[in-house]
PDB file of all heavy atoms in Angstrom:
ATOM      1  N   ALA A  16       1.754 -26.594 -10.363  1.00  0.00           N
ATOM      2  CA  ALA A  16       3.053 -27.114  -9.931  1.00  0.00           C
ATOM      3  C   ALA A  16       3.248 -28.515 -10.500  1.00  0.00           C
ATOM      4  O   ALA A  16       2.283 -29.272 -10.630  1.00  0.00           O
ATOM      5  CB  ALA A  16       3.113 -27.153  -8.411  1.00  0.00           C
ATOM      6  N   GLY A  50      -2.794 -29.290   5.715  1.00  0.00           N
ATOM      7  CA  GLY A  50      -1.765 -30.337   5.787  1.00  0.00           C
ATOM      8  C   GLY A  50      -0.407 -29.952   5.225  1.00  0.00           C
ATOM      9  O   GLY A  50       0.460 -30.808   5.028  1.00  0.00           O
ATOM     10  N   ASP A  57      11.950 -14.048   7.523  1.00  0.00           N
ATOM     11  CA  ASP A  57      12.011 -12.713   8.112  1.00  0.00           C
ATOM     12  C   ASP A  57      12.634 -11.706   7.139  1.00  0.00           C
ATOM     13  O   ASP A  57      13.492 -12.062   6.348  1.00  0.00           O
ATOM     14  CB  ASP A  57      12.853 -12.734   9.400  1.00  0.00           C
ATOM     15  CG  ASP A  57      12.058 -13.296  10.569  1.00  0.00           C
ATOM     16  OD1 ASP A  57      10.844 -13.049  10.636  1.00  0.00           O
ATOM     17  OD2 ASP A  57      12.651 -14.008  11.400  1.00  0.00           O
ATOM     18  N   LEU A  64      17.892 -13.998   1.582  1.00  0.00           N
ATOM     19  CA  LEU A  64      19.309 -14.131   1.198  1.00  0.00           C
ATOM     20  C   LEU A  64      20.203 -14.334   2.419  1.00  0.00           C
ATOM     21  O   LEU A  64      21.274 -14.929   2.319  1.00  0.00           O
ATOM     22  CB  LEU A  64      19.756 -12.890   0.403  1.00  0.00           C
ATOM     23  CG  LEU A  64      19.034 -12.702  -0.943  1.00  0.00           C
ATOM     24  CD1 LEU A  64      19.485 -11.432  -1.643  1.00  0.00           C
ATOM     25  CD2 LEU A  64      19.252 -13.909  -1.851  1.00  0.00           C
ATOM     26  N   ASN A  65      19.752 -13.859   3.563  1.00  0.00           N
ATOM     27  CA  ASN A  65      20.519 -14.051   4.808  1.00  0.00           C
ATOM     28  C   ASN A  65      20.124 -15.348   5.529  1.00  0.00           C
ATOM     29  O   ASN A  65      20.497 -15.550   6.683  1.00  0.00           O
ATOM     30  CB  ASN A  65      20.306 -12.870   5.772  1.00  0.00           C
ATOM     31  CG  ASN A  65      20.813 -11.571   5.193  1.00  0.00           C
ATOM     32  OD1 ASN A  65      21.614 -11.580   4.281  1.00  0.00           O
ATOM     33  ND2 ASN A  65      20.327 -10.457   5.714  1.00  0.00           N
ATOM     34  N   ARG A  69      12.502 -20.025   9.140  1.00  0.00           N
ATOM     35  CA  ARG A  69      12.192 -20.922  10.264  1.00  0.00           C
ATOM     36  C   ARG A  69      10.794 -21.517  10.085  1.00  0.00           C
ATOM     37  O   ARG A  69       9.920 -20.881   9.479  1.00  0.00           O
ATOM     38  CB  ARG A  69      12.246 -20.145  11.579  1.00  0.00           C
ATOM     39  CG  ARG A  69      11.263 -18.992  11.538  1.00  0.00           C
ATOM     40  CD  ARG A  69      11.472 -18.005  12.631  1.00  0.00           C
ATOM     41  NE  ARG A  69      10.944 -16.701  12.282  1.00  0.00           N
ATOM     42  CZ  ARG A  69       9.712 -16.281  12.565  1.00  0.00           C
ATOM     43  NH1 ARG A  69       8.863 -17.050  13.188  1.00  0.00           N
ATOM     44  NH2 ARG A  69       9.321 -15.083  12.221  1.00  0.00           N
ATOM     45  N   GLU A  93      18.345  -4.563  -2.416  1.00  0.00           N
ATOM     46  CA  GLU A  93      19.010  -4.246  -3.687  1.00  0.00           C
ATOM     47  C   GLU A  93      19.577  -5.540  -4.289  1.00  0.00           C
ATOM     48  O   GLU A  93      19.449  -5.796  -5.485  1.00  0.00           O
ATOM     49  CB  GLU A  93      20.133  -3.247  -3.370  1.00  0.00           C
ATOM     50  CG  GLU A  93      20.624  -2.417  -4.534  1.00  0.00           C
ATOM     51  CD  GLU A  93      19.526  -1.718  -5.309  1.00  0.00           C
ATOM     52  OE1 GLU A  93      18.612  -1.120  -4.692  1.00  0.00           O
ATOM     53  OE2 GLU A  93      19.585  -1.787  -6.563  1.00  0.00           O
ATOM     54  N   ILE A 107      18.305 -21.140  -1.820  1.00  0.00           N
ATOM     55  CA  ILE A 107      18.087 -21.214  -0.362  1.00  0.00           C
ATOM     56  C   ILE A 107      16.698 -21.795  -0.067  1.00  0.00           C
ATOM     57  O   ILE A 107      16.538 -22.650   0.813  1.00  0.00           O
ATOM     58  CB  ILE A 107      18.274 -19.814   0.290  1.00  0.00           C
ATOM     59  CG1 ILE A 107      19.747 -19.397   0.190  1.00  0.00           C
ATOM     60  CG2 ILE A 107      17.805 -19.798   1.744  1.00  0.00           C
ATOM     61  CD1 ILE A 107      20.040 -17.963   0.545  1.00  0.00           C
ATOM     62  N   LYS A 109      14.986 -23.827  -1.929  1.00  0.00           N
ATOM     63  CA  LYS A 109      15.019 -25.273  -2.244  1.00  0.00           C
ATOM     64  C   LYS A 109      15.747 -26.051  -1.152  1.00  0.00           C
ATOM     65  O   LYS A 109      15.332 -27.143  -0.768  1.00  0.00           O
ATOM     66  CB  LYS A 109      15.654 -25.508  -3.623  1.00  0.00           C
ATOM     67  CG  LYS A 109      14.694 -25.108  -4.757  1.00  0.00           C
ATOM     68  CD  LYS A 109      15.344 -25.226  -6.121  1.00  0.00           C
ATOM     69  CE  LYS A 109      14.465 -24.580  -7.184  1.00  0.00           C
ATOM     70  NZ  LYS A 109      15.132 -24.341  -8.445  1.00  0.00           N
ATOM     71  N   GLY A 123       6.514  -4.115  -6.705  1.00  0.00           N
ATOM     72  CA  GLY A 123       7.957  -4.377  -6.724  1.00  0.00           C
ATOM     73  C   GLY A 123       8.221  -5.777  -6.179  1.00  0.00           C
ATOM     74  O   GLY A 123       8.996  -6.557  -6.757  1.00  0.00           O
ATOM     75  N   GLY A 140       1.117 -13.947  -5.011  1.00  0.00           N
ATOM     76  CA  GLY A 140       1.241 -12.594  -4.464  1.00  0.00           C
ATOM     77  C   GLY A 140      -0.033 -12.190  -3.743  1.00  0.00           C
ATOM     78  O   GLY A 140      -1.141 -12.538  -4.168  1.00  0.00           O
ATOM     79  N   ALA A 205     -11.318  18.869   1.470  1.00  0.00           N
ATOM     80  CA  ALA A 205     -10.199  19.764   1.143  1.00  0.00           C
ATOM     81  C   ALA A 205     -10.534  20.636  -0.065  1.00  0.00           C
ATOM     82  O   ALA A 205     -11.188  20.190  -1.001  1.00  0.00           O
ATOM     83  CB  ALA A 205      -8.952  18.945   0.861  1.00  0.00           C
ATOM     84  N   ALA A 256       2.939  34.359   1.592  1.00  0.00           N
ATOM     85  CA  ALA A 256       3.454  35.624   1.051  1.00  0.00           C
ATOM     86  C   ALA A 256       2.511  36.176  -0.021  1.00  0.00           C
ATOM     87  O   ALA A 256       2.263  37.384  -0.078  1.00  0.00           O
ATOM     88  CB  ALA A 256       4.850  35.401   0.478  1.00  0.00           C
ATOM     89  N   ALA A 257       1.974  35.292  -0.840  1.00  0.00           N
ATOM     90  CA  ALA A 257       1.146  35.754  -1.956  1.00  0.00           C
ATOM     91  C   ALA A 257      -0.282  36.113  -1.558  1.00  0.00           C
ATOM     92  O   ALA A 257      -0.902  36.972  -2.182  1.00  0.00           O
ATOM     93  CB  ALA A 257       1.119  34.682  -3.043  1.00  0.00           C
ATOM     94  N   MET A 270       3.324   8.009  10.663  1.00  0.00           N
ATOM     95  CA  MET A 270       2.161   7.656  11.492  1.00  0.00           C
ATOM     96  C   MET A 270       1.076   6.957  10.649  1.00  0.00           C
ATOM     97  O   MET A 270       0.311   6.146  11.147  1.00  0.00           O
ATOM     98  CB  MET A 270       1.576   8.876  12.197  1.00  0.00           C
ATOM     99  CG  MET A 270       0.922   9.850  11.250  1.00  0.00           C
ATOM    100  SD  MET A 270       0.035  11.181  12.054  1.00  0.00           S
ATOM    101  CE  MET A 270      -1.360  10.351  12.705  1.00  0.00           C
ATOM    102  N   SER A 275      -3.265  -0.142  14.717  1.00  0.00           N
ATOM    103  CA  SER A 275      -4.035  -1.370  14.606  1.00  0.00           C
ATOM    104  C   SER A 275      -4.883  -1.347  13.333  1.00  0.00           C
ATOM    105  O   SER A 275      -5.537  -0.354  13.043  1.00  0.00           O
ATOM    106  CB  SER A 275      -4.925  -1.444  15.859  1.00  0.00           C
ATOM    107  OG  SER A 275      -5.664  -2.621  15.828  1.00  0.00           O
ATOM    108  N   LEU A 294      -5.010 -22.048  -2.872  1.00  0.00           N
ATOM    109  CA  LEU A 294      -4.512 -22.207  -4.248  1.00  0.00           C
ATOM    110  C   LEU A 294      -3.300 -23.124  -4.264  1.00  0.00           C
ATOM    111  O   LEU A 294      -3.221 -24.056  -5.067  1.00  0.00           O
ATOM    112  CB  LEU A 294      -4.132 -20.840  -4.848  1.00  0.00           C
ATOM    113  CG  LEU A 294      -5.272 -19.935  -5.295  1.00  0.00           C
ATOM    114  CD1 LEU A 294      -4.710 -18.625  -5.835  1.00  0.00           C
ATOM    115  CD2 LEU A 294      -6.134 -20.592  -6.370  1.00  0.00           C
ATOM    116  N   CYS A 305      -6.569 -10.958  -5.777  1.00  0.00           N
ATOM    117  CA  CYS A 305      -7.043  -9.577  -5.871  1.00  0.00           C
ATOM    118  C   CYS A 305      -8.518  -9.475  -5.525  1.00  0.00           C
ATOM    119  O   CYS A 305      -9.202 -10.492  -5.365  1.00  0.00           O
ATOM    120  CB  CYS A 305      -6.772  -8.995  -7.248  1.00  0.00           C
ATOM    121  SG  CYS A 305      -7.087 -10.073  -8.614  1.00  0.00           S
ATOM    122  N   ALA A 319      -0.887  -9.591 -14.165  1.00  0.00           N
ATOM    123  CA  ALA A 319      -1.063  -8.567 -13.124  1.00  0.00           C
ATOM    124  C   ALA A 319      -0.014  -7.469 -13.276  1.00  0.00           C
ATOM    125  O   ALA A 319      -0.319  -6.277 -13.168  1.00  0.00           O
ATOM    126  CB  ALA A 319      -0.955  -9.202 -11.745  1.00  0.00           C
ATOM    127  N   LYS A 324      -2.505   1.223 -13.692  1.00  0.00           N
ATOM    128  CA  LYS A 324      -3.603   1.782 -12.894  1.00  0.00           C
ATOM    129  C   LYS A 324      -3.609   3.303 -13.025  1.00  0.00           C
ATOM    130  O   LYS A 324      -2.561   3.937 -12.931  1.00  0.00           O
ATOM    131  CB  LYS A 324      -3.396   1.387 -11.432  1.00  0.00           C
ATOM    132  CG  LYS A 324      -4.582   1.725 -10.536  1.00  0.00           C
ATOM    133  CD  LYS A 324      -4.484   0.951  -9.240  1.00  0.00           C
ATOM    134  CE  LYS A 324      -5.740   1.037  -8.431  1.00  0.00           C
ATOM    135  NZ  LYS A 324      -5.797   0.026  -7.397  1.00  0.00           N
ATOM    136  N   GLU A 325      -4.757   3.869 -13.228  1.00  0.00           N
ATOM    137  CA  GLU A 325      -4.848   5.320 -13.331  1.00  0.00           C
ATOM    138  C   GLU A 325      -5.837   5.843 -12.309  1.00  0.00           C
ATOM    139  O   GLU A 325      -6.825   5.181 -12.001  1.00  0.00           O
ATOM    140  CB  GLU A 325      -5.342   5.704 -14.727  1.00  0.00           C
ATOM    141  CG  GLU A 325      -4.509   5.059 -15.806  1.00  0.00           C
ATOM    142  CD  GLU A 325      -4.116   6.007 -16.905  1.00  0.00           C
ATOM    143  OE1 GLU A 325      -4.866   6.965 -17.135  1.00  0.00           O
ATOM    144  OE2 GLU A 325      -3.054   5.768 -17.517  1.00  0.00           O
ATOM    145  N   VAL A 331     -11.560  12.793  -9.467  1.00  0.00           N
ATOM    146  CA  VAL A 331     -10.833  14.070  -9.461  1.00  0.00           C
ATOM    147  C   VAL A 331     -11.819  15.216  -9.722  1.00  0.00           C
ATOM    148  O   VAL A 331     -11.770  16.263  -9.079  1.00  0.00           O
ATOM    149  CB  VAL A 331      -9.706  14.051 -10.530  1.00  0.00           C
ATOM    150  CG1 VAL A 331      -8.995  15.393 -10.598  1.00  0.00           C
ATOM    151  CG2 VAL A 331      -8.709  12.935 -10.223  1.00  0.00           C
TER     152      VAL A 331
END
Side-chain angles (χ1 to χ4, degrees):
D57 282 325
L64 296 178
N65 297 341
R69 58 193 156 92
E93 201 51 45
I107 292 169
K109 286 175 191 165
M270 69 172 288
S275 182
L294 284 179
C305 42
K324 189 163 191 164
E325 307 226 332
V331 177

